[in-house]
């Protein structure tokens, strides 16, 4: 299975039995609260709102949610409390409101009180664009600058785990390079080959994997056919593994700017995922 | 000045006094010949058609061009003859027909008989896309895998020279990274800073330069304003310097696949530029 767009994800979430328990870190911001209320009304989430109680109550249009507010004195405290609640098994998902990303990550990574798993923390961006037939996920465009093979292994598994949880049984992964052959001048081609072997050996689970593969062959089944490249991933990838953070970052921003996509970032690899949306993003994106 | 799209480039070329002298390497292919004839009729080029004479004459719909055909026995010979004509000052521009790119590059780089300049050979892709207000150039998405600072200097100058020749007096260059600050984990940010100093010192000439700069700030003046970043390049770049070949390659292919762009590749850094279009590209692209 695969989701056509974010509306399809929301529709599927509405049909689940129990709302996901989400801690909103620094919830005192209108778009964040509106998105949270909408998701709560739709029965998708059970929110916990962390931040300045007075500010949150002023902005809150849904009185029933007032009891979910936990007052904190600072973004640092909001992050710490949210992370503690994850450790206590009370929270399934984190969402960043007005807090700085670095503040939240510090709390997550804290050696004493954090929620590390031993795995590399990485980012997945989910992209909805009219010119592709389903959601397109990209990793890692935001956290790990120049991942080693070992880190790429974690990065792929982190993203595949998210897709598996979303209902994809075997997402199709394309390890993007400029070419299809191993080339020692292009470390990403060697990594892609090695990762394919790792997947075949069952050390990365829950996905199909293709690479090294160039973007035209990955995106376009007709181009793949012309170049004599076969594989179920061609023209149909769910997840793009990027060679570097810079490549992924430029790709995601180009999709938004030139192809009109909606992008949603999720931080993965800790005990629970965290939605990372820019502080300037609107309600629709935050809701998604 | 800047060109809105490829039609604007063609229109400008029509008004120049003398047609550019173009050698077509392995011209015995219909789309290549049709594009060449069209450009000749418009007075833009004076072609020399290299390849199997019989095959070319069969496909040639313009008898007046028959006298420009030079018979050769192989793609290797076509490339060698074209390169020799460049050395003799008879050719301004190379165009690859049905020959393999590697065959042509070998002839260009030949130490005895080639047309090296001492500069790194690199590629520029010119992109026309409806969602940007002018042509967008990208370098290097095809030749130099992981350019050093020294090579990036050549790569930028190569591309700027092309733009200068096209009539841009000071093209705006954005050295794309994921962030705006120097970060030792991201070599491209250090290179971008160094290149900015090199431009300021007048060692790269004929352009404005900004970097390190993230793609959203480079593409979108409003995003730049929100993030407090100033510069004439923001929202208006002519040329994107990519951190790696892979990043540029993925970007260009994504533009074509998801934003519907038309891409034209030009190899630069030798004595004359060479148009590199995929053998499956249509007449319109080859003409452009």
């Amino acid at each position: 299975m695969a989701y056509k767009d974010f509306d399809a994800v929301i529709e599927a979430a509405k049909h689940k039995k129990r709302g996901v328990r989400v801690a909103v870190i620094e919830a005192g911001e209108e778009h964040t609260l509106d998105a949270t209320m909408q998701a709560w009304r739709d029965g998708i989430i059970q929110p916990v709102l962390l931040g300045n109680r007075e500010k949150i109550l002023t902005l809150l249009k849904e009185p029933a949610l007032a009891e979910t507010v936990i007052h904190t004195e600072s973004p640092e405290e909001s992050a710490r409390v949210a992370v503690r609640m994850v450790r206590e098994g009370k929270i399934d998902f984190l969402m960043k409101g007005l807090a700085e990303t670095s503040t939240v990550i510090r709390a997550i990574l804290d050696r004493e009180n954090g929620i590390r798993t031993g795995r590399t923390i990485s980012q997945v961006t989910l992209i909805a664009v009219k010119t592709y037939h389903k959601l397109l996920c990209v990793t890692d465009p935001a956290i790990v600058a120049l991942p080693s093979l070992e880190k790429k292994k974690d990065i792929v598994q982190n993203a595949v785990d998210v897709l598996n949880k979303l209902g994809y049984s075997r997402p199709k992964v394309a390890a993007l390079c400029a070419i299809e052959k191993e080339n020692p001048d292009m470390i990403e081609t060697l990594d892609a080959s090695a990762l394919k072997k790792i997947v075949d050996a069952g050390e990365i689970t829950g996905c199909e994997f293709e690479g090294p593969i160039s973007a035209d062959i990955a995106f376009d089944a007709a181009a793949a056919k012309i170049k004599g490249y076969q594989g179920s991933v061609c023209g149909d990838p769910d997840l793009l593994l990027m060679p570097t953070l810079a490549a992924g970052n430029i790709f995601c921003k180009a999709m938004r700017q030139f192809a009109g996509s909606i992008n949603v970032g999720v931080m993965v690899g800790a005990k629970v995922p965290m939605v990372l949306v820019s502080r300037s993003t609107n309600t629709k994106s935050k809701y998604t």
Side-chain angles (χ1 to χ4, degrees), chain A:
Chain A
M1 68 140 296
Y3 290 102
K4 194 179 164 297
D5 52 26
F6 290 125
D7 289 338
V9 178
I10 291 168
E11 209 44 53
K14 283 182 187 171
H15 291 93
K16 291 207 172 165
K17 283 256 166 67
R18 189 178 60 83
V20 175
R21 298 165 304 173
V22 177
V24 184
I25 299 167
E26 290 299 285
E29 188 271 325
E30 198 177 350
H31 293 298
T32 303
L33 276 177
D34 286 351
T36 306
M37 281 185 287
Q38 184 68 44
W40 173 75
R41 279 192 213 110
D42 288 342
I44 297 174
I45 66 163
Q46 298 171 12
V48 170
L49 305 174
L50 298 155
N52 182 286
R53 176 189 297 273
E54 203 175 332
K55 193 170 177 198
I56 293 173
L57 292 181
T58 310
L59 293 167
L60 198 62
K61 290 159 196 157
E62 196 70 63
L65 285 181
E67 64 184 58
T68 73
V69 177
I70 296 178
H71 177 75
T72 59
E73 293 292 336
S74 68
E76 286 73 18
E77 191 186 347
S78 295
R80 270 200 311 273
V81 172
V83 163
R84 192 176 65 220
M85 291 179 78
V86 170
R87 274 207 322 280
E88 294 167 354
K90 294 175 182 163
I91 290 295
D92 305 306
F93 218 98
L94 297 174
M95 176 163 167
K96 190 176 76 76
L98 262 187
E100 299 269 346
T101 303
S102 57
T103 303
V104 184
I105 289 184
R106 250 196 315 276
I108 289 172
L109 297 184
D110 187 275
R111 293 202 179 268
E112 294 263 321
N113 301 308
I115 47 173
R116 289 167 177 264
T117 59
R119 253 200 227 162
T120 307
I121 301 277
S122 59
Q123 208 252 30
V124 186
T125 292
L126 284 69
I127 295 180
V129 65
K130 283 186 183 140
T131 45
Y132 193 58
H133 57 284
K134 57 182 175 178
L135 286 186
L136 192 57
C137 303
V138 176
T139 194
D140 171 348
I143 297 180
V144 187
L146 203 67
S148 62
L149 175 60
E150 200 53 40
K151 286 198 173 171
K152 279 184 182 167
K153 195 178 145 187
D154 282 358
I155 287 170
V156 171
Q157 190 68 67
N158 284 345
V160 168
D161 285 355
V162 166
L163 289 168
N164 288 162
K165 271 183 202 154
L166 277 172
Y168 294 70
S169 59
R170 291 182 67 75
K172 297 174 179 178
V173 186
L176 291 191
C177 301
I179 53 174
E180 286 73 44
K181 289 174 187 166
E182 289 186 33
N183 179 334
D185 290 336
M186 299 172 161
I187 181 75
E188 62 272 14
T189 63
L190 307 183
D191 285 352
S193 271
L195 286 168
K196 194 166 165 55
K197 290 193 188 94
I198 288 169
V199 171
D200 289 344
E203 289 176 53
I204 294 174
T205 56
C207 69
E208 290 175 47
F209 190 96
E210 204 59 72
I213 186 167
S214 66
D216 53 345
I217 286 181
F219 299 155
D220 182 0
K225 206 173 170 189
I226 290 172
K227 293 192 177 178
Y229 197 99
Q230 292 191 325
S232 66
V233 172
C234 298
D236 195 42
D238 295 299
L239 174 65
L240 307 176
L241 173 67
M242 288 289 174
T244 59
L245 185 154
N249 195 278
I250 293 167
F251 175 87
C252 290
K253 285 167 175 169
M255 291 295 280
R256 199 171 57 195
Q257 184 73 25
F258 301 115
S261 72
I262 296 175
N263 299 359
V264 174
V266 182
M267 204 193 80
V268 283
K271 279 191 185 128
V272 298
M274 176 169 77
V275 180
L276 281 168
V277 273
S278 172
R279 278 165 288 165
S280 57
T281 313
N282 62 14
T283 307
K284 168 82 184 167
S285 283
K286 288 193 195 270
Y287 174 52
T288 309

